Each structure stands twice: as C-alpha cells, then as structure tokens.
Amino acid sequence: MSLPPLVEPANDLTVDEVRRYSRHLIIPEIGMTGQKRLKNAKVLCVGAGGLGSPALLYLAAAGVGTLGIVDFDVVDESNLQRQIIHGQSDVGRSKAQSARDSIAEVNPFVHVNVHEQQLDSSNALEIFAGYDLIVDGTDNFATRYLVNDACVLLGKPYVWGSIYRFDGQASVFWAEYGPCYRCLYPEPPPPGMVPSCAEGGVLGVLCASIGSIQVNEAIKVITGVGEPLTGRLMIYDALEMSYRTVRVRKDPECPICGKNPTITGLIDYDAFCGTVSADAQQAASGSTITATELKGMLDRGDDIFLVDVREPNEYEIVSIPGAVLIPKDQFLTGAALERMPQDKQIVLHCKSGARSAECLAVLKNAGFADAVHVGGGVLAWISQVDPSLPAY
C-alpha cells in the first residue's frame, strides 16, 4: 500500500544541489519536492559493514541530508571483500570514521553524525530519537530485536535486510502501518542453530543487492512514492537470480505492537537471544582451555584427541596442526560419538569457541567427562600462538 511521505520538504535546494540531483529532479514521482524531502531527512544506519556500506553510499548519493552511523568496530582486512565503503588504507581504523570520510567524498552536502559505541538497551532510544528512519545493517538477532523494539516504541519505520551466503531478505517494518519484526519472527532461533556470515560466509556482491534494496525502500518511505515493503518480505536467491515476496500479517498478539503489548521498554537482548545454549554454557564452565594451554599440551606430547568442529572449507583456510576435522553437525546427530576415543582426552575447537561449546555439551552428556574446548578457537590460536597464519 502507498504511505504518506515521512518527511516534510526542505525550504529549497541550492544551485549546486540542483546540478547534483538533476537525474532525480526530472523523475516526475521524485521531482523538486521529493528531493527536498530527502534533503530534510535524517536516516540512521546501524552498522557500517556489509549492508551498511552500500546503504550509506547510496543514501549519501541520493541526497539524504543527515546520515547517522552506529558502529564501534574497526576495519579488518577480511571486511574488504564486501564492505565497499572501506579501503586498504582504512584497515585498523574505526569503521564509523572510515565511512564518514567515504561519504564526504561521495557527497559533501551530507551531514554525518558518528556514534562510535555499541548499540544496546541503554542508548538505543536516545540515539534513534534524533532520526526519522532506521536502516539496519547488522548480522545478529539480538541487535535486530533491539532495533525493532526501539523503532516500535518510538513510532519509527525500520528498513531491515539480512544476508547469508547466496540468500537475502528485506522488508520494511512500521508498526503504525503494518507488522513489526517480531510479527515475522516471534522468537529467535535456538543459539547456534543459524550460523552467522562470519561462520557460513556471504557472497560479497549480495551485500550490494540487498543494501541497495534497503535504500530504495528508504527513499520510497521518505518521499511517499510507490509501495514500500510494509507487510511484505522480499526473498532473493542470487544463485537462481530470483525474487519473490511473501505477505506478512500483523500479529494481534505481538508482545510489542499487538493489541495488548507486554513489552513496554527495551530488554536484555543478549539474554533473550542467547549466544550459546544453556547446556553449552554449563559444559564450558570449568572445561575451557586457552590456545596457549593447548600449545603446551601439544609441545609436551600429551595424549589428546584434537578435533576441529568447523566446516571443511574453513579447515582449508587455516587449521591447528594435528587437528582432526569432524564438523559440528556430526556431533548434533550423534554420528561423531563413534569416532571419539575412550583412552584420550578430547579437545575441541572451532573458529571462536561458540560451536565447540555446543559440541562439548554433546560429549559431556555422552559421558566424556574430561573433554574440554579451546576458548576463542582458531582465532585465539592465531593471535596467541602463531600470528603467521591467516585469520578469516
């Protein structure tokens, strides 16, 4: 359905702005009034990573007058495969500052606010209050629920996108006119069930595909043209090159936007979504070793069975010497148990420690009481033991 324009027009455009935005101005649906609305708009992008990079660049190029960037991370070399707002010279720099500088090159008429802090329940409402629309470029469920709830409480539209490997999704959640993110996903998936892009990977160009769709929706909401993705979920398959949309209905029992909301303020979203399951937390308690401790065990020739629970393609990138590859799914199905020796201590590791903690819980429940896992996984091994190895 068509929605009214989100933003009132600015008073005027300068001669330089008319020259810059001329291809917008000659589109009847945008025109001078629509471009003035873009100039007057204040848009916050949560994250300056895979989705945030193309979103920020195209929002700036479109002439959105004020852009906010929330990001507390620094640029890593592994980001450059998809996070096109950053360059080689930005490695080690603040992502928010790097993005601000790139935006200035794209469009000097855009004012940029930098929020170099981790978004959480203590600051989200305050930060969001200064903006008309929120674009979500994050890749974790806790932040998505946080952004959604803050937008519902403040009555702001939320342009959402999600990417994984070759698949992307996008929608516009605006409780005043349709469903919110909780209407689509009432509960987060069980911890460890859905891998992140850091675990499963993402086709770099997919970020541009979904990020540009998010900007397209933001422009439509700001100017009031077309039919935004409110009440619809767009699903994109890059391998098949197919787009399809699914209707999403407002849930009258939704705990935050339904008829009788039970969520009236922001909650602890890390606790709500969980990083690892309760079983994994319990298993890892007292059974976690450091990468340095593992190095000592290997140097002494301790009789251990070192297991890498990552995926084969991750193992090809980098591995700890002597580790046997048995992917996590074989632990979850129980198939890995028959390969576990009874006369050796089992040591598990993954990329960062989350997946190995889940596998450790399986082993503990199967009676392998002395099994342990490596906190920080192969990334800790690289940083603490062998920095010559490639991180990913």
Side-chain angles (χ1 to χ4, degrees):
M1 62 178 178
S2 299
L3 300 177
L6 178 65
V7 177
E8 290 298 315
N11 290 330
D12 54 33
L13 299 179
T14 67
V15 172
D16 288 337
E17 288 172 330
V18 170
R19 293 193 188 101
R20 177 176 289 267
Y21 307 129
S22 61
R23 296 303 184 273
H24 271 181
L25 299 178
I26 59 178
I27 301 175
E29 291 83 355
I30 301 294
M32 186 67 74
T33 300
Q35 193 62 48
K36 287 179 180 179
R37 294 188 195 277
L38 291 171
K39 179 178 180 178
N40 211 28
K42 298 178 177 66
V43 175
L44 178 70
C45 190
V46 182
L51 290 175
S53 290
L56 285 165
L57 290 175
Y58 271 108
L59 287 166
V64 172
T66 300
L67 287 176
I69 307 168
V70 181
D71 204 310
F72 69 99
D73 200 3
V74 297
V75 180
D76 182 81
E77 193 169 12
S78 66
N79 301 149
L80 303 183
Q81 163 257 9
R82 64 203 178 281
Q83 299 181 16
I84 58 170
I85 204 166
H86 314 297
Q88 185 64 40
S89 62
D90 297 312
V91 172
R93 290 186 66 203
S94 155
K95 282 188 179 181
Q97 293 183 22
S98 169
R100 176 199 60 198
D101 294 346
S102 296
I103 289 169
E105 286 294 313
V106 170
N107 191 346
F109 300 126
V110 175
H111 175 74
V112 180
N113 299 322
V114 171
H115 305 275
E116 289 184 272
Q117 53 194 297
Q118 184 170 5
L119 191 71
D120 58 33
S121 298
S122 70
N123 58 25
L125 293 175
E126 180 181 359
I127 294 174
F128 286 16
Y131 297 91
D132 303 304
L133 178 146
I134 312 300
V135 174
D136 184 5
T138 62
D139 64 352
N140 66 87
F141 290 99
T143 307
R144 290 169 184 164
Y145 282 99
L146 166 63
V147 172
N148 175 78
D149 292 359
C151 286
V152 173
L153 293 173
L154 293 171
K156 297 183 184 293
Y158 164 32
V159 180
W160 169 77
S162 175
I163 51 176
Y164 178 69
R165 291 186 176 169
F166 297 96
D167 301 320
Q169 299 179 356
S171 189
V172 176
F173 300 112
W174 196 357
E176 184 176 350
Y177 296 100
C180 76
Y181 181 76
R182 283 182 182 270
C183 297
L184 176 61
Y185 297 115
E187 297 288 340
M193 185 63 67
V194 179
S196 66
C197 291
E199 295 175 351
V202 61
L203 185 69
V205 72
L206 180 67
C207 302
S209 300
I210 300 303
S212 62
I213 288 171
Q214 289 181 278
V215 175
N216 184 68
E217 294 306 297
I219 291 173
K220 287 156 60 180
V221 171
I222 290 167
T223 60
V225 304
E227 295 186 10
L229 284 172
T230 47
R232 291 184 293 155
L233 173 67
M234 190 222 69
I235 302 170
Y236 171 56
D237 185 327
L239 286 180
E240 295 184 358
M241 191 48 67
S242 64
Y243 292 88
R244 63 190 179 96
T245 57
V246 177
R247 285 285 176 186
V248 181
R249 298 187 182 278
K250 193 177 185 71
D251 180 5
E253 304 301 321
C254 177
I256 192 163
C257 79
K259 295 179 179 178
N260 299 297
T262 56
I263 299 175
T264 57
L266 301 183
I267 62 175
D268 184 338
Y269 293 90
D270 288 330
F272 174 65
C273 295
T275 53
V276 295
S277 68
D279 284 348
Q281 291 178 358
Q282 183 177 358
S285 178
S287 296
T288 301
I289 65 172
T290 66
T292 304
E293 288 173 325
L294 173 60
K295 176 67 162 55
M297 298 170 79
L298 295 173
D299 289 346
R300 291 191 303 269
D302 291 357
D303 197 15
I304 65 173
F305 186 59
L306 180 60
V307 181
D308 186 334
V309 305
R310 298 175 300 155
E311 295 301 308
N313 54 325
E314 294 180 90
Y315 187 83
E316 290 180 3
I317 298 170
V318 60
S319 62
I320 297 176
V324 177
L325 179 65
I326 306 178
K328 173 188 169 184
D329 62 347
Q330 295 187 31
F331 284 86
L332 299 183
T333 62
L337 296 178
E338 63 185 25
R339 299 180 60 181
M340 298 297 111
Q342 299 290 334
D343 58 345
K344 295 181 180 181
Q345 183 182 22
I346 300 168
V347 180
L348 306 175
H349 84 80
C350 61
K351 179 181 180 180
S352 61
R355 283 175 283 177
S356 58
E358 299 288 346
C359 296
L360 182 64
V362 174
L363 289 184
K364 295 286 189 180
N365 290 334
F368 294 89
D370 63 346
V372 296
H373 86 126
V374 181
V378 72
L379 294 181
W381 178 269
I382 294 169
S383 64
Q384 299 172 22
V385 178
D386 190 355
S388 69
L389 296 174
Y392 69 101

